[in-house]
Amino acid sequence: MSNDINTPTVGGKGNYEGGYARFLKAYQEFKGECPKGVTLKLQKSGTKYNLLLQFKQPPTGKRLPKTANLECTPEGVIDCVKKAKLVSEALGTISSASEFWDWYDATILGKNQIEDNLITYRDIFKQIEDEYFAGYNRNTGRPRSRDIASDLASYESTKGVYFRLFPNWDEYPSWESFKAMLYIPLQNGERLIGSKTFKERYYILKAIAKKSPNKEHLLKQLEPINPKQTQFIKKQRIAVDVFKDWWFNTKQEAYTIKNPQHQSTRHSWLWVTGMAVIYGLRPTQIAAAVNLTKPFVTEDGITIKALSDPDNQDNYLVLGG
């Protein structure tokens, strides 16, 4: 009977098998995992012990305990260590006291959170994907579609490839996972900062942050990072006359191809290559152009000559139409 009387009662709600002894063992084992400046604390209230976080609280800087909204269980201890790490990060990044306590209430205590605000990476990726395919091709103006291979490839190369850098799509957006994704080393061993990949990862993260409930915090952490691309692929040059010679020779060789489909494909790509080099067009611009080989008449009756017209001195290019 005396042992039962001397056993402390743990705070919180739930059914605790093993009681205080099991909880205390976990507390002693895991409290050392906390980051510098934020520690776990057991505080007695009447006959109960409650699990708290202790740190220098803004704006006073006084080191005081604060509830973490956790049960006194081994699982609660593990979660409390995780929250201690979040608090340590927030103390180092959030300069405003009011902003910190708003963050603490929402993230650590879970106050004022409604179900719609609990958005995972998977939810956000789905929103971005739906918005992408609800949009239009920027060169041709046609609606994008999941049934068009080029649209699927474009989505994959500009968004999908970066979404897959997140290992757990069912997590909620956090600055810790943002940093992990942003600074993954390049596989070819090249310098990450200043690369095209780093710039693209940065802007993907901004798009994700804008759809996150904690967007102010995430965008603030991204703000001081410079995503400017400073590394570029070395450009190659070729004289126009050399290109023309290669082009005509290759075109003649294409006529020797026996398979009609292969021959047609070779001629088509040669035509695209010639337009890209001679007129300085991108392949997507060529696909969107409407006056390459025939004139285009505007709604108000103005005729734009074809680029192939020898009498065309203006060389205007009309896209879309």
Side-chain angles (χ1 to χ4, degrees), residues 149-165:
S150 62
D151 287 345
L152 289 171
S154 178
Y155 170 80
E156 172 60 26
S157 64
T158 59
K159 294 176 175 57
V161 66
Y162 297 110
F163 293 162
R164 287 201 301 277
L165 295 179

Side-chain angles (χ1 to χ4, degrees), residues 46-290:
T47 61
K48 294 184 177 182
Y49 279 84
N50 294 306
L51 182 60
L52 308 171
L53 287 173
Q54 185 162 274
F55 54 93
K56 290 184 179 179
Q57 298 186 10
T60 63
K62 292 182 179 180
R63 187 173 178 81
L64 298 170
K66 177 75 173 176
T67 180
N69 193 27
L70 290 169
E71 298 174 351
C72 287
T73 64
E75 294 77 16
V77 170
I78 295 172
D79 288 339
C80 201
V81 171
K82 292 179 181 178
K83 289 189 175 184
K85 293 178 180 179
L86 292 175
V87 170
S88 176
E89 180 183 302
L91 287 170
T93 56
I94 301 177
S95 57
S96 166
S98 60
E99 183 181 350
F100 172 82
W101 289 118
D102 287 343
W103 171 87
Y104 194 95
D105 285 345
T107 306
I108 303 302
L109 303 183
K111 291 182 179 179
N112 301 321
Q113 287 188 348
I114 58 174
E115 187 174 351
D116 290 344
N117 279 339
L118 299 179
I119 301 175
T120 64
Y121 282 116
R122 189 182 303 278
D123 299 326
I124 293 174
F125 296 164
K126 183 64 167 61
Q127 287 182 27
I128 293 175
E129 179 183 346
D130 290 343
E131 289 173 3
Y132 178 85
F133 284 104
Y136 296 85
N137 185 290
R138 64 180 181 179
N139 292 313
T140 65
R142 65 161 176 76
R144 294 193 184 108
S145 171
R146 289 182 173 85
D147 297 326
I148 298 177
S150 62
D151 287 345
L152 289 171
S154 178
Y155 170 80
E156 172 60 26
S157 64
T158 59
K159 294 176 175 57
V161 66
Y162 297 110
F163 293 162
R164 287 201 301 277
L165 295 179
F166 289 91
N168 187 355
W169 286 18
D170 294 315
E171 286 184 342
Y172 302 122
S174 69
W175 178 236
E176 185 176 348
S177 57
F178 267 39
K179 285 191 297 183
M181 180 274 209
L182 183 61
Y183 293 104
I184 294 173
L186 297 180
Q187 293 183 354
N188 58 12
E190 293 181 0
R191 184 162 49 91
L192 175 63
I193 307 301
S195 67
K196 182 173 182 288
T197 299
F198 186 78
K199 180 182 73 173
E200 291 175 346
R201 288 181 189 176
Y202 176 86
Y203 285 108
I204 281 290
L205 288 176
K206 285 198 75 172
I208 296 170
K210 289 177 181 178
K211 295 184 178 297
S212 304
N214 55 338
K215 65 180 179 181
E216 290 82 6
H217 174 62
L218 295 175
L219 290 172
K220 186 174 182 179
Q221 305 315 308
L222 287 169
E223 186 177 352
I225 298 175
N226 183 3
K228 184 177 180 180
Q229 183 179 352
T230 57
Q231 304 173 49
F232 299 92
I233 298 175
K234 187 177 180 181
K235 295 181 179 179
Q236 296 179 329
R237 297 182 179 181
I238 185 173
V240 173
D241 290 339
V242 175
F243 171 79
K244 286 181 178 179
D245 290 341
W246 170 85
W247 191 88
F248 283 115
N249 291 335
T250 306
K251 187 174 180 63
Q252 292 301 318
E253 292 176 2
Y255 285 111
T256 65
I257 297 175
K258 294 183 179 180
N259 186 308
Q261 184 177 357
H262 292 175
Q263 184 183 124
S264 176
T265 300
R266 181 70 61 85
H267 282 298
S268 297
W269 276 112
L270 278 170
W271 181 82
V272 172
T273 303
M275 295 299 295
V277 174
I278 301 302
Y279 290 99
L281 302 175
R282 297 177 180 177
T284 52
Q285 292 174 320
I286 297 170
V290 295

